[in-house]
Amino acid sequence: MITNNIRKSILHMVHYSRSSHVGTCLSMVELLYVLYYKVLNIDPSNPQLVERDKFVLSKGHGGAALYATLAERGFFPKSYLDRYYINNGLLPGHLDMEAVPGIETSAGSLGHGLSIGLGMAIANRQSHNPGKVYVIVGDGECNEGSIWEAVMLASTLQLSNLTVIVDYNKLQSFGWTNEVINQENMAERWKSFGWETFEIDGHDINEIEQTLKTSHKGPKAIIAHTVKGKGVSFMENKLEWHYKSPNDEELLLAFKELGDV
Ligand SMILES: Cc1ncc(C[n+]2csc(CCOP(=O)(O)OP(=O)(O)O)c2C)c(N)n1
C-alpha cells in the first residue's frame, strides 16, 4: 500500500536523522497520496511542465512527508531520503525547492504558502494557463494573519483555480489548537470569507478524492479532520511527537503496526 510506504519512509527519515515533526507528517499522508496519485496533473519525468498543477506545502516543517511522497511517485530516487536533515545532507528539514525536483516552493516560516499559492493562481489566470493550485496549511498555521489576507483576496478575485486543504489535526506545537487561539467552527469561518467550503475525514481516500474533484466557481476550502501522528497508535494525538524522534525500539513498534515486521 502506497500510504504505508510513505509512512515508513517518514519514520525512517526522522529516526535516522533524529529529527522532529513526525506527527505533523503522518497527519497528511492520505492528503498527499490522493493529490499526487489521483488529482494533480503532473509528470515526474517533466516536473517543469508549464501547464502542470502546482502543490504548495505551506506547513513546511512537514517537509519529510512531501519528500517521501515525491520519491515514491518517482520524482527522484528513494535513496535520497537517507540524506534528510543531516550534516552535508541533501534534503533540509524544512522544505527547500532547490533541493530536488517537484517542490514548488520552500517553506518553514508559517503563514506564507497560501499567499504564494494565491500568486500562482492569479498568474495562471492572467496567462490563460489551465494549471490549478493546491495548498495545504496547518490548523495552528491559521493563527497567522497573513493566511486571512490571502483568504480575503482569493474570494474577492473568485479564484476558481485555487484549493486549500486545512490539515485540521487539532494540535499545534504548544498544545491543542483551539486552546492556543480558538478556531472552533473552522468551516464556518472559511465560508464566511466567501470560500466554497467542505468538511471531510482527512484519512478517507475516497472522500478526499471526491471532494478535490468537485467543481467550484470560486476558491475552495477543504477542512480535513485528521489525527496528528495517524497510523502509529502511540504517536496519535500526542503533542510530544511534534518534537520527538522514535528510538530504535519505537521504530520497530511503529513498523510492526504498519505491518512490516
Ligand atoms: C512564522 C512561524 N512562527 C512559528 C513557527 C514555529 N512553529 C513550527 S510548527 C508550529 C505549529 C504548527 O502547527 P500546525 O500548523 O497545526 O501544524 P501541525 O504540526 O500540527 O501539523 C509552530 C508554531 C514557525 N515555523 N513559523
Side-chain angles (χ1 to χ4, degrees):
M1 202 161 65
I2 292 166
T3 48
N4 252 17
N5 290 349
I6 297 171
R7 283 200 161 86
K8 282 186 258 176
S9 292
I10 293 167
L11 286 158
H12 165 72
M13 291 159 80
V14 296
H15 169 259
Y16 186 67
S17 58
R18 309 187 64 78
S19 60
S20 303
H21 306 140
V22 62
T24 301
C25 292
L26 294 175
S27 139
M28 57 180 163
V29 169
E30 282 76 17
L31 299 174
L32 291 171
Y33 164 71
V34 174
L35 280 164
Y36 277 90
Y37 283 82
K38 295 178 181 287
V39 173
L40 294 178
N41 175 30
I42 41 152
D43 178 359
S45 63
N46 187 4
Q48 291 302 316
L49 202 73
V50 175
E51 299 197 337
R52 70 191 183 279
D53 293 337
K54 291 184 174 173
F55 170 68
V56 174
L57 179 61
S58 190
K59 42 171 256 186
H61 58 292
L66 183 55
Y67 296 136
T69 306
L70 290 173
E72 196 69 36
R73 186 71 170 81
F75 279 84
F76 52 84
K78 276 177 125 177
S79 59
Y80 287 12
L81 300 178
D82 296 341
R83 300 172 64 199
Y84 168 75
Y85 221 155
I86 54 172
N87 286 339
N88 302 314
L90 175 68
L91 305 171
H94 292 73
L95 267 185
D96 181 355
M97 64 190 289
E98 306 284 324
V100 275
I103 297 172
E104 299 289 353
T105 184
S106 301
S109 181
L110 296 169
H112 299 295
L114 183 51
S115 297
I116 294 169
L118 175 87
M120 291 171 174
I122 294 172
N124 278 0
R125 178 194 270 183
Q126 287 181 350
S127 57
H128 305 288
N129 182 329
K132 298 190 176 90
V133 181
Y134 299 83
V135 181
I136 289 185
V137 298
D139 51 2
E141 185 180 13
C142 292
N143 292 353
E144 299 282 352
S146 52
I147 293 285
W148 300 99
E149 293 176 36
V151 165
M152 288 189 283
L153 184 55
S155 60
T156 303
L157 299 177
Q158 280 297 292
L159 287 173
S160 58
N161 56 355
L162 180 63
T163 297
V164 167
I165 305 174
V166 181
D167 181 358
Y168 195 11
N169 61 31
K170 325 290 182 307
L171 274 171
Q172 51 127 302
S173 50
F174 296 120
W176 296 104
T177 301
N178 287 341
E179 289 177 7
V180 178
I181 293 183
N182 187 6
Q183 299 188 61
E184 272 167 15
N185 305 320
M186 175 80 86
E188 287 305 314
R189 291 169 194 260
W190 285 77
K191 210 180 275 176
S192 73
F193 278 90
W195 286 54
E196 287 182 39
T197 306
F198 300 80
E199 210 166 352
I200 64 165
D201 174 348
H203 300 298
D204 181 327
I205 284 168
N206 290 332
E207 203 179 355
I208 299 167
E209 182 179 358
Q210 271 176 23
T211 313
L212 279 167
K213 289 184 173 169
T214 303
S215 65
H216 50 117
K217 295 201 177 78
K220 183 200 284 188
I222 301 174
I223 312 305
H225 290 273
T226 52
V227 173
K228 199 157 171 167
K230 175 75 178 178
V232 179
S233 60
F234 58 90
M235 294 184 179
E236 290 187 356
N237 289 316
K238 295 267 169 37
L239 180 64
E240 68 208 63
W241 292 102
H242 186 87
Y243 301 99
K244 278 175 60 173
S245 62
N247 59 27
D248 294 351
E249 204 182 9
E250 289 162 335
L251 184 74
L252 203 66
L253 266 177
F255 271 52
K256 253 187 202 159
E257 285 197 12
L258 294 169
D260 195 57
V261 189

